[in-house]
């Protein structure tokens, strides 16, 4: 009979993590990179300026840089772990292999919050641009009751709910179809943002940067905290570990290439946005980038082009975040941590259909009734907690498995992961107390679920381990050798 401490500390052997999967390996390097870009660009840049500029002022540019640096340090850690442990589940699977089952469940809670809430936030932002596009094209606007959350004076955000439903249909049809669609949308969104930068530069006014940091370093950090959820896409690449071709090479490359593209575009858009529009006008602004272009040109057509591009690109973000959420639940279900329904794969489409439907229903409710500002900040803390675990897990895996084959190694080790840990902790301390409190309650609820459900149904629980499979090991129970296992 294993003790609770042993259950919390048991880890999945790396060899087991690399085993066969019912999922099909169909995703090459560019589609993987597109997943990272898609889930990152659009997650925030099309509408997060209205949330971040009131906190940081023109210094929001530095908020993006700080968030990008922390995300970049963590991306290096992700790249190494993704190449060493190429499976579905992302940070959850990395934590299970390095820190133990208890921490893996905490990380699972963070990821489920991060992806579900992020998908909801993005869907709400999509609704804003749909309204802007319809208004520019037809002179009509959706009724406030059907395009806003109850807290914002509406009944339900119907466009956001419809978006989630459309993404669910595409994901159920098959992974290959979804990633091809996503890659096309990524090319469109990059073109749209380059268009924004080119047109927005014509309205540049350096006076907008006069009072550069009105709220000091605290405001810059608070802005970085809100913005950070925009980097969730880096995690999304690693959720495709079991569907990636040549994962030990392609996963690290895709993460690093996606990060480089994202940071350049984010900082460029932030600079041009503040240069073209006075900081005071950002507060409460919807479909902000579209409105900025309309003001600069004095005509609605550039804003219409950008709104159309945003509608397409934000669709791809929701698609990828839903994809990542379902793959994390798939990995957790396979490990016995959540009910088996999340691990069932349709024989024809080779996708977790029931899993996708359930996740989409939950996200649709979030998108329909919760305001975007709260959704964005809750996603940030989930992302930060997951990034923190990745950096800690890298250090532990280096010590425990020094000879493990790695497709990429973090430079300047251990300085890089330590700086990533420090950066994540610093940004977390800048979030609102209510955000941290709600996050703590969510993690506590998920841990309670683990104690009553997951730990007894774990695939590593004695009696649940299939004959001949690797057995779990902990810091207090050593891993039996091959001869000992054969004798048993």
């Amino acid at each position: 009979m294993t003790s609770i401490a042993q259950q919390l500390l048991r880890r999945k052997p790396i060899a087991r993590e690399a085993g066969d999967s019912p999922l099909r390996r169909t995703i090459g390097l560019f589609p993987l990179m597109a997943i990272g870009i898609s889930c990152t660009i659009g997650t925030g840049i099309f509408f997060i300026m209205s949330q971040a500029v009131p906190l940081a002022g023109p210094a929001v540019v530095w908020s993006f840089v700080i968030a990008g640096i922390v995300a970049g340090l963590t991306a290096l850690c992700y790249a190494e772990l993704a190449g060493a442990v190429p499976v579905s589940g992302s940070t959850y699977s990395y934590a299970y292999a390095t820190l133990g089952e208890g921490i893996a469940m905490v990380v699972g809670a963070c990821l489920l919050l991060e992806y579900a809430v992020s998908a909801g936030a993005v869907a709400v932002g999509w609704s804003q641009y749909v309204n802007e596009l319809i208004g520019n094209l037809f002179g009509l606007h959706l009724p406030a009751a059907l395009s806003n959350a109850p807290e914002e004076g509406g009944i339900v955000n119907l466009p956001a709910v419809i978006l989630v439903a459309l993404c669910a249909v595409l994901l159920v049809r098959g992974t290959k179809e979804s990633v091809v669609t996503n890659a096309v949308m990524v090319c469109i969104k990059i073109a749209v943002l380059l268009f924004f930068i080119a047109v927005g530069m014509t309205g540049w006014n350096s006076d907008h940067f006069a009072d550069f940091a009105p709220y000091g370093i605290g405001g810059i950090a608070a802005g970085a905290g809100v913005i950070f959820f925009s980097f969730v896409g880096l995690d999304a690449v690693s959720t495709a570990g079991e569907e990636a071709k040549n994962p030990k090479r392609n996963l690290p490359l895709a993460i690093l290439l996606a990060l480089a593209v994202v940071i350049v575009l984010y900082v460029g858009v932030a600079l041009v946005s503040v240069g073209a529009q006075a900081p005071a006008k950002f507060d409460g602004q919807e479909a902000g980038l579209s409105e900025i272009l309309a003001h600069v040109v004095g005509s609605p057509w550039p804003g219409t082009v950008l709104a159309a591009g945003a509608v397409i690109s934000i669709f791809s973000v929701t698609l990828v975040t839903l994809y990542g959420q379902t793959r994390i639940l798939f990995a957790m279900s396979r490990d016995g941590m959540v009910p088996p329904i999340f691990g069932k794969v349709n024989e024809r489409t080779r996708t977790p259909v029931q899993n996708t439907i359930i996740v989409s229903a939950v996200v649709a409710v979030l998108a329909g009734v919760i305001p975007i500002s709260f959704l964005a900040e809750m996603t940030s803390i989930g992302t930060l907690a997951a990034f923190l675990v990745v950096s800690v897990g890298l250090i532990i895996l280096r010590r425990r498995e020094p000879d493990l084959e790695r497709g990429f190694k973090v430079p300047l080790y251990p300085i890089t992961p330590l700086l990533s840990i420090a950066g994540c902790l610093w940004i977390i301390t800048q979030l609102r107390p209510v955000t941290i409190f709600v996050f703590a309650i969510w993690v506590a609820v998920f841990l309670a679920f683990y104690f009553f459900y997951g730990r007894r149904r774990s695939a590593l629980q004695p009696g649940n381990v299939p004959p001949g499979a690797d057995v779990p090991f902990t810091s207090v129970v050593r891993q039996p050798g091959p001869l000992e296992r054969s004798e048993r």
Side-chain angles (χ1 to χ4, degrees):
M1 180 86 178
T2 55
S3 67
I4 292 179
Q6 289 174 329
Q7 291 171 339
L8 291 171
L9 293 172
R10 57 192 174 196
R11 297 179 283 118
K12 293 180 68 174
I14 301 297
R16 179 175 177 175
E17 290 286 9
D20 293 332
S21 169
L23 303 175
R24 185 180 293 126
R25 292 196 181 275
T26 59
I27 309 177
L29 175 59
F30 179 72
L32 278 173
M33 179 180 165
I35 287 174
I37 295 174
S38 173
C39 197
T40 307
I41 295 178
T43 307
I45 195 61
F46 281 103
F47 52 87
I48 201 62
M49 295 295 289
S50 63
Q51 306 296 323
V53 174
L55 295 174
V60 71
V61 175
W62 279 111
S63 298
F64 274 101
V65 171
I66 290 171
I69 290 172
V70 175
L73 293 169
T74 311
L76 294 172
C77 301
Y78 261 108
E80 178 169 328
L81 286 177
V85 191
V87 295
S88 286
S90 179
T91 317
Y92 160 78
S93 293
Y94 306 154
Y96 213 156
T98 57
L99 301 172
E101 192 169 280
I103 297 298
M105 284 300 288
V106 173
V107 173
C110 296
L111 291 174
L112 295 180
L113 177 70
E114 170 188 333
Y115 278 89
V117 179
S118 173
V122 172
V124 174
W126 185 81
S127 175
Q128 294 176 3
Y129 277 96
V130 167
N131 220 358
E132 178 79 8
L133 182 61
I134 293 174
N136 287 353
L137 290 176
F138 308 110
L140 302 173
H141 289 280
L142 296 174
L146 297 179
S147 58
N148 288 298
E151 188 175 317
E152 298 171 328
I155 297 174
V156 64
N157 195 323
L158 187 59
V161 174
I162 292 173
L163 170 63
V164 174
L166 292 174
C167 291
V169 170
L170 188 56
L171 287 171
V172 165
R173 287 180 60 85
T175 299
K176 185 175 182 179
E177 292 84 351
S178 299
V179 297
V180 170
T181 302
N182 178 65
V184 172
M185 291 181 175
V186 164
C187 294
I188 293 173
K189 79 166 63 182
I190 291 176
V192 166
L193 289 178
L194 291 175
F195 170 77
F196 172 82
I197 291 172
V199 177
M201 281 293 294
T202 63
W204 182 272
N205 185 345
S206 58
D207 291 343
H208 294 167
F209 294 89
D211 188 10
F212 186 69
Y215 309 109
I217 188 66
I220 295 173
V226 173
I227 288 167
F228 204 83
F229 94 105
S230 300
F231 290 90
V232 66
L234 302 175
D235 183 273
V237 176
S238 58
T239 65
E242 289 180 38
E243 294 163 280
K245 299 176 181 177
N246 193 9
K248 288 186 180 294
R249 169 187 175 272
N250 287 345
L251 285 173
L253 269 177
I255 290 171
L256 297 177
L257 290 172
L259 175 70
V261 172
V262 165
I263 289 180
V264 169
L265 285 173
Y266 270 13
V267 174
V269 170
L271 270 171
V272 172
S273 295
V274 178
Q277 178 174 271
K281 294 184 178 179
F282 283 90
D283 193 10
Q285 188 176 50
E286 295 188 355
L289 300 191
S290 179
E291 290 190 19
I292 289 173
L293 290 192
H295 173 74
V296 167
V297 178
S299 170
W301 75 263
T304 302
V305 172
L306 190 131
V311 166
I312 294 171
S313 63
I314 295 174
F315 182 101
S316 73
V317 181
T318 310
L319 180 70
V320 174
T321 49
L322 288 175
Y323 167 84
Q325 173 83 296
T326 59
R327 272 35 179 194
I328 291 164
L329 281 167
F330 168 80
M332 296 180 75
S333 176
R334 182 174 54 188
D335 295 335
M337 298 293 104
V338 297
I341 191 172
F342 292 101
K344 293 182 179 179
V345 175
N346 183 276
E347 292 184 3
R348 184 179 62 85
T349 64
R350 300 293 288 272
T351 59
V353 173
Q354 294 162 299
N355 180 346
T356 302
I357 293 171
I358 295 171
V359 167
S360 300
V362 172
V363 171
V365 172
L366 291 176
V369 301
I370 299 181
I372 191 171
S373 57
F374 185 73
L375 289 172
E377 199 162 333
M378 288 307 300
T379 304
S380 286
I381 193 168
T383 306
L384 285 161
F387 281 16
L388 186 66
V389 170
V390 165
S391 303
V392 173
L394 170 68
I395 295 172
I396 292 174
L397 193 61
R398 278 281 189 104
R399 294 181 62 86
R400 285 179 175 162
E401 303 281 349
D403 300 323
L404 184 67
E405 181 185 351
R406 291 168 168 86
F408 171 83
K409 280 195 171 183
V410 167
L412 299 177
Y413 175 86
I415 296 174
T416 299
L418 289 175
L419 287 175
S420 173
I421 292 168
C424 289
L425 289 173
W426 179 58
I427 296 178
I428 287 174
T429 62
Q430 305 303 312
L431 296 175
R432 292 182 299 168
V434 65
T435 302
I436 297 173
F437 178 70
V438 172
F439 174 73
I441 291 176
W442 167 249
V443 171
V445 169
F446 211 79
L447 281 177
F449 176 81
Y450 166 70
F451 275 100
F452 286 104
Y453 181 92
R455 67 188 181 95
R456 292 187 177 89
R457 291 170 174 80
S458 169
L460 301 186
Q461 178 74 1
N464 295 342
V465 180
D470 288 331
V471 298
F473 58 102
T474 73
S475 58
V476 293
V477 180
R478 71 182 181 87
Q479 174 76 350
L483 181 60
E484 294 173 279
R485 287 199 293 269
S486 64
E487 289 175 350
R488 297 190 334 170

